[in-house]
Amino acid sequence: MSTSLKCIIIDDEKMARNSLKVLLQNYCPEVEVIGEGWDKTSMKKLFKEFNPDIVFLDIQLGNSTIFDIIPSHELMDFKIIFISAHDEYALKGYKYDAIDYLLKPVDPIKLKEAVSKVTQYINKEAASRSSVEENLKNLYNLRESPQITLSDARGLHVIKIEDIMYCIAEGNYTSIILNNQPQMVVSKNLKFFEEKLIQPNFFRIHKSNLINIHYLKLLSNDDGGHIVMSDGKTLSISRDKKRELLKRI
C-alpha cells in the first residue's frame, strides 16, 4: 500500500500550480495537496499552519529567489522538491538538502521518481526512529527518573525529563517551560528536543510546540485549534495533530 503524503505547492504562477496539481492527481495519487502559496507571506503562513511531507518550491517568486527568502541553514521539517524554468539554480538548490530539482514544464515520469524518493526517505527515517525509540525506552526502564543535560546563559543544568511541561520554538532557540522551576532558553531548535524526548507522553502538536501530555489540561473543541496546559498557557495545535492527540490520550 502506498504512503499518503501531504504537500504544499509554492509558485507565483497560478497556471503552474494548477498544472502541477493535475500531474499529481494523474501520476502521484498518493500525494494530497493541502495548501498553495504564491509569495513570501503566503508561504510563511502555510509553513506555520501546516506540517507537510513535501513542499514543491518554485525558485523564482516575483522579483526574488527562494534563496533570498529562506536561508540554507534554516531547518525544515519537510522534504523539498525544487521546480524551476532555469537549470542554473540546481547546484545551489541541493545545498538545501532538496530531494530533487525538476525543470518546467514538469516531466510526469521525473515527478513520479521525485515523489518515490520522498517516500523512501520517510520510510527509512521512520524505521530508524522506531529503532531509536525502542532503544531509548529500554534505557528509560533501567532508570528511575531519566534526565537531560541542558545549558543556557546561567550555566549547565541537569533536568528531570518528567519536569518538562512543554517546549516552544523560538527560531534556532527553544524555550523550555518546567514544572515549578524557572523557564530556560536553550540554543537548540525544536527538532532537537523532538528527537531527544522520545517518550510516549511527549507529543509535537504544532510546528512550534512540543508538549508533555501529563501537563495537558484542556483540548479545545474550537475550530481554531488550541490546547491549555496545567499552568494556564494556551498553545496552538495543528488540525492533523489534533486528531493524533485525541488518539494518544
Side-chain angles (χ1 to χ4, degrees):
M1 185 174 67
S2 60
T3 303
S4 177
L5 300 171
K6 296 177 181 179
C7 88
I8 287 173
I9 299 173
I10 308 295
D11 197 308
D12 59 353
E13 297 178 1
K14 185 174 182 179
M15 187 177 295
R17 298 197 304 272
N18 289 340
S19 175
L20 181 57
K21 283 194 295 183
V22 170
L23 287 175
L24 288 170
Q25 289 170 2
N26 292 334
Y27 295 92
C28 307
E30 71 273 25
V31 178
E32 175 190 1
V33 179
I34 60 173
E36 296 178 49
W38 48 89
D39 58 13
K40 177 180 178 180
T41 302
S42 59
M43 178 180 70
K44 294 286 187 180
K45 187 173 185 290
L46 287 167
F47 288 177
K48 184 177 180 180
E49 291 183 355
F50 295 99
N51 186 32
D53 299 300
I54 315 173
V55 173
F56 291 95
L57 200 53
D58 187 17
I59 298 286
Q60 195 80 36
L61 293 180
N63 295 323
S64 302
T65 70
I66 201 66
F67 311 123
D68 303 319
I69 299 171
I70 304 177
S72 61
H73 59 76
E74 187 171 315
L75 188 68
M76 300 295 179
D77 290 338
F78 45 76
K79 307 303 179 187
I80 295 175
I81 296 177
F82 280 118
I83 297 179
S84 177
H86 310 283
D87 60 4
E88 65 263 29
Y89 295 119
L91 184 59
K92 195 170 184 178
Y94 284 113
K95 290 182 180 179
Y96 284 67
D97 291 329
I99 293 293
D100 215 329
Y101 189 104
L102 303 178
L103 286 174
K104 296 180 179 179
V106 176
D107 182 326
I109 302 303
K110 292 187 182 298
L111 177 63
K112 286 184 65 175
E113 291 173 352
V115 169
S116 178
K117 288 179 188 176
V118 173
T119 301
Q120 291 172 27
Y121 270 92
I122 289 176
N123 289 342
K124 185 176 180 181
E125 288 176 351
S128 176
R129 188 161 52 247
S130 176
S131 176
V132 170
E133 286 178 4
E134 188 61 36
N135 290 337
L136 284 174
K137 284 177 184 177
N138 292 336
L139 176 62
Y140 290 147
N141 288 336
L142 297 175
R143 298 177 61 175
E144 226 173 84
S145 183
Q147 300 171 331
I148 186 171
T149 303
L150 301 172
S151 61
D152 64 4
R154 292 173 291 162
L156 195 66
H157 306 261
V158 179
I159 304 295
K160 288 183 179 179
I161 290 179
E162 64 187 27
D163 288 337
I164 298 176
M165 297 173 65
Y166 52 92
C167 307
I168 300 177
E170 307 283 356
N172 289 325
Y173 292 80
T174 301
S175 292
I176 311 295
I177 288 72
L178 301 165
N179 184 32
N180 297 321
Q181 297 178 53
Q183 175 179 327
M184 296 179 63
V185 178
V186 181
S187 59
K188 300 284 187 184
N189 57 41
L190 194 60
K191 184 75 171 179
F192 169 85
F193 288 99
E194 184 182 18
E195 293 174 350
K196 286 290 183 183
L197 302 176
I198 304 177
Q199 293 191 53
N201 50 304
F202 280 93
F203 184 70
R204 188 162 181 176
I205 61 169
H206 187 271
K207 190 175 182 66
S208 302
N209 304 320
L210 174 70
I211 70 165
N212 185 338
I213 296 173
H214 290 168
Y215 294 96
L216 176 64
K217 182 179 180 181
L218 171 69
L219 175 58
S220 172
N221 289 324
D222 294 346
D223 292 335
H226 70 269
I227 65 165
V228 179
M229 300 300 289
S230 60
D231 64 348
K233 178 70 173 179
T234 298
L235 298 173
S236 299
I237 180 169
S238 302
R239 196 175 294 118
D240 56 336
K241 293 295 184 180
K242 188 174 182 177
R243 291 192 292 268
E244 290 184 43
L245 182 59
L246 281 169
K247 293 178 183 178
R248 186 74 69 90
I249 62 178

